[in-house]
Amino acid sequence: MIPRNPDAKDLISLVVPFYNESEVADEFFREVSLVLRNIAQADYEIVCVNDGSTDATLDHLLAACAADPRVKVIDLSRNFGKEAAMTAGIDAAMGDAVIPFDADLQDPPEAIPAMIEKWREGFDVVLGKRAERQTDTYAKRSTAALFYRVHNAISDIKIPVNAGDFRLMSRSAVDALKQLPENRRFMKGLFAWIGFRTTEIEYSRRPRAAGKTKFSGWKLWNFALEGMTSFSTLPLRIWTYVGGVIAAFAMLYSAYLILRTLIRGVDIPGYASIITAVLFLGGVQLIGIGVIGEYIGRMYVEAKRRPVYIIRKIYQKDDL
């Protein structure tokens, strides 16, 4: 591991997706700018991505951009989702180190200097690992833990537990990430897939500074499905085993019926047992078709090769 030159002045890029975050935007810039200004031997840029906000978020971003030349605002043409907005910001970031960051300030900006210190020691990726998640509800903590267990059990790519999008990536890691062509992007998995020398720092997550989360239970469920189907084919393969088990039981049951008929004669067929078997097998088949459909749907989206995002306009201080 080769340490970086301690006399070099580094450019740090903070990439921040914004979606209806007008309540927290001003506090975000106050806290983040204070931390970034005090990092030794470094300059910085804040790449803000307005992901189709319908409130006054863009106005707050443009005001910050007009006041600070180190703030860049990328205004997307509509709401493309956090993963696409993060991709847009990472694509536009010019820094030697790039840090995806949430606008709600639950991940503390004070952890950024520790990440930069680790990066300067020679690591390409520095994960921000949540030491505890007491600010989340019990249901969210439980379902998150279940997701990590299931995903890492069925996928060859292991996602670090309790590590979100908050991390530092070197320019080499960012350039590798930008080579991945997926349209449907599960960023936690893509971050893990590229590899590179990785370490982590722990931090305590804070309550949201203002506003409300934009992720409902339904969105989180779909996000989990996206993650599991993006990096594993086991959900498809498992239906081969399910079919084999059912076929084996069917063969055993048919052998039992033949023997019973030879010994006791022919019984009157039972309607209840027939309809139960038909409904059970029909349900199993529909579940299997649904899993196949999830993969076919993703193939359909990828085959169209639409862009991940569309930029309406990029704002910098000189343009305002």
Side-chain angles (χ1 to χ4, degrees), residues 15 20 29 36 61 195 201 252 265:
V15 173
N20 292 346
F29 285 109
L36 294 177
L61 298 182
I201 64 166
L252 290 173

Side-chain angles (χ1 to χ4, degrees), residues 70-198:
R70 290 167 292 196
V71 176
K72 178 191 297 184
V73 178
I74 299 174
D75 186 25
L76 301 186
S77 62
R78 64 170 177 84
N79 177 247
F80 286 88
K82 183 182 177 183
E83 309 296 281
M86 194 186 310
T87 300
I90 290 172
D91 288 346
M94 304 298 293
D96 302 300
V98 177
I99 305 173
F101 194 80
D102 287 343
D104 58 17
L105 294 174
Q106 285 194 276
D107 299 325
E110 295 79 12
I112 292 175
M115 288 182 163
I116 293 173
E117 183 179 344
K118 289 290 185 182
W119 167 61
R120 285 173 171 168
E121 291 175 7
F123 291 99
D124 290 291
V125 179
V126 185
L127 301 175
K129 186 174 181 180
R130 299 158 186 168
E132 47 81 23
R133 304 184 58 155
Q134 296 306 313
T135 57
D136 295 333
T137 64
Y138 174 78
K140 188 172 182 179
R141 293 198 303 270
S142 301
T143 53
L146 178 61
F147 166 74
Y148 284 117
R149 282 199 298 270
V150 173
H151 182 280
N152 290 341
I154 69 176
S155 175
D156 293 332
I157 302 300
K158 309 303 181 187
I159 297 177
V161 177
N162 285 331
D165 297 321
F166 182 38
R167 66 191 64 210
L168 180 148
M169 295 178 290
S170 69
R171 174 48 54 182
S172 297
V174 169
D175 289 342
L177 184 67
K178 290 166 70 173
Q179 295 179 44
L180 305 183
E182 286 98 324
N183 287 67
R184 298 284 293 267
R185 301 178 73 79
F186 179 67
M187 297 303 290
K188 289 182 180 65
L190 297 181
F191 290 149
W193 188 89
I194 61 173
F196 288 92
R197 297 187 184 99
T198 301

Side-chain angles (χ1 to χ4, degrees), residues 243-274:
V245 170
I246 292 175
F249 275 113
M251 291 179 66
L252 290 173
Y253 187 60
S254 64
Y256 163 74
L257 291 178
I258 292 171
L259 289 174
R260 193 182 68 170
T261 302
L262 291 174
I263 297 170
R264 299 176 55 184
V266 179
D267 289 336
I268 298 174
Y271 172 78
S273 60
I274 292 175

